[in-house]
Amino acid sequence: MTRPTILVLGTGGTIAGAGSGGTGVAYRPGGVALESLVAHLGALGLAADLVPEEIARIGSQDIGWAEWQALHGACTRALADPRIAGVIIAHGTDTAEETALLLDLTLPATKPVVLVGAMRPADAVGADGMRNFANAVKVAGDRHAAGRGVMLVMGDAVLAARDARKAATSSIDAFRSFPRGPLARVTPASLDWFGPPHRPGAAARYPFPAELPRVAILTAGAGMDARPVEALLGIGARGIVLAGMGQGNAPAVVLEALARCAASGVPVVRATRVDEGLVDRNVEVADDALGLVAARALGPAKARVLLMVLIANGITDPQAVQAAFDAG
Ligand code: GLU
């Protein structure tokens, strides 16, 4: 059997974190160079050849437009290179769901692209990074992995970008898959897919943006007034995601202000500040009358990514934006 060649893109994060002193609390995300992580992995006897390329060495809270452009470019080149079987992106977990969804929306699904992270620094007791990485190698080198969009491998599970959500700040079992469960279970020894690929041979759903518009997340709170909405318009927000109460609710004055935004061509998507659950149309909020969009299963962080991609591609009409959110 030929060994797959896998491109490993490093961005930093806890998987490359160092300085914890084994049991300490503080550490530096990205403190370990990608070359030395990959050399370490080579010693694990994995059935793949790894080609490292360092994009950044930062905590993922600092990842943004420059890194996203670099990642998209590197993935595009790898998908076109017949020598490369798949791509692994080592990434901090804080914003892994955002990077994963952006790439999922803008890359073809012809080869596996897998984000992997860790909750404990590389030099900590009980570090999870090497196991997660070994699992990611198993996924990225698997011939049944294509056609499933961008994936996230954490804690022996393979999650689809559209469903992955960080739900815990420090436990090893930090990610949830909502509303669909994981795509597969993976260990260094086995990989079991739970269904067929859902995007076989699919082209990219949206062109990668030339630039990203400013889209803000506004978290609702009891007793708030409409001034935060006016402030967002004042700083040039081109779109607003409401992290609303319950099914995307907010005080009436806030909804009225958001409806004025929508009427002026600034699309407004209602998501929820609740950990999990759908936000559907016209439940307590009259979306049809107010011109608002329901985020459905996407939480605020991922709703913002999708809305940025839509606006960048000239899609701002509430019905068209709703159709994109309905498509998940
Ligand atoms: N804040 C860091 C990051 O997202 C640490 C979290 C992690 O990697 O798990 O890069």
Side-chain angles (χ1 to χ4, degrees):
M1 210 174 76
T2 52
R3 288 162 65 85
T5 299
I6 295 170
L7 175 67
V8 181
L9 301 173
T11 66
T14 298
I15 193 164
S20 75
T23 56
V25 177
Y27 67 96
R28 297 182 313 281
V32 180
L34 182 66
E35 295 273 0
S36 75
L37 265 188
V38 165
H40 221 84
L41 283 158
L44 299 181
L46 300 173
D49 294 320
L50 305 179
V51 180
E53 181 180 333
E54 198 148 70
I55 301 286
R57 279 174 70 177
I58 54 180
S60 72
Q61 58 271 39
D62 286 320
I63 279 191
W65 180 230
E67 293 77 23
W68 282 340
Q69 283 176 295
L71 286 172
H72 189 271
C75 288
T76 301
R77 288 190 292 280
L79 296 185
D81 184 341
R83 293 166 299 181
I84 303 291
V87 181
I88 293 175
I89 302 173
H91 200 290
T93 56
D94 285 357
T95 62
E97 62 194 91
E98 284 149 272
T99 297
L101 184 65
L102 178 68
L103 296 177
D104 187 60
L105 294 168
T106 55
L107 286 173
T110 47
K111 289 180 189 175
V113 175
V114 181
L115 269 77
V116 66
M119 294 303 291
R120 293 177 182 159
D123 62 351
V125 169
D128 51 334
M130 283 297 127
R131 183 181 178 96
N132 288 345
F133 216 124
N135 288 346
V137 168
K138 189 126 191 103
V139 175
D142 186 76
R143 64 191 175 87
H144 301 295
R148 300 175 192 270
V150 174
M151 293 168 277
L152 176 67
V153 170
M154 287 288 294
D156 290 2
V158 184
L159 314 181
R162 61 187 185 179
D163 296 327
R165 186 174 60 81
K166 188 172 184 180
T169 55
S170 59
S171 86
I172 279 211
D173 181 25
F175 278 80
R176 302 286 173 273
S177 183
F178 178 83
R180 293 152 284 245
L183 297 174
R185 281 279 147 200
V186 60
T187 73
S190 65
L191 172 57
D192 296 295
W193 297 102
F194 298 149
H198 54 279
R199 291 182 56 201
R205 281 177 287 174
Y206 300 97
F208 191 73
E211 58 180 9
L212 285 180
R214 182 189 292 275
V215 171
I217 298 173
L218 176 67
T219 302
M224 75 186 289
D225 62 22
R227 275 178 290 180
V229 178
E230 287 147 20
L232 292 180
L233 290 181
I235 59 166
R238 304 257 317 276
I240 297 175
V241 172
L242 174 70
M245 306 131 167
Q247 276 228 25
N249 291 319
V253 286
V254 174
L255 291 176
E256 285 157 17
L258 292 173
R260 288 195 293 278
C261 293
S264 72
V266 174
V268 177
V269 175
R270 295 187 305 107
T272 178
R273 68 180 196 182
V274 175
D275 286 348
E276 199 166 283
L278 296 176
V279 173
D280 282 322
R281 286 188 70 78
N282 300 316
V283 177
E284 288 184 76
V285 177
D287 292 302
D288 291 348
L290 299 176
L292 306 180
V293 172
R296 308 298 312 286
L298 292 188
K302 283 190 289 183
R304 174 173 168 265
V305 170
L306 176 53
L307 188 55
M308 286 194 294
V309 170
L310 294 173
I311 294 171
N313 283 290
I315 301 168
T316 57
D317 169 70
Q319 280 186 3
V321 174
Q322 186 66 64
F325 276 83
D326 288 345

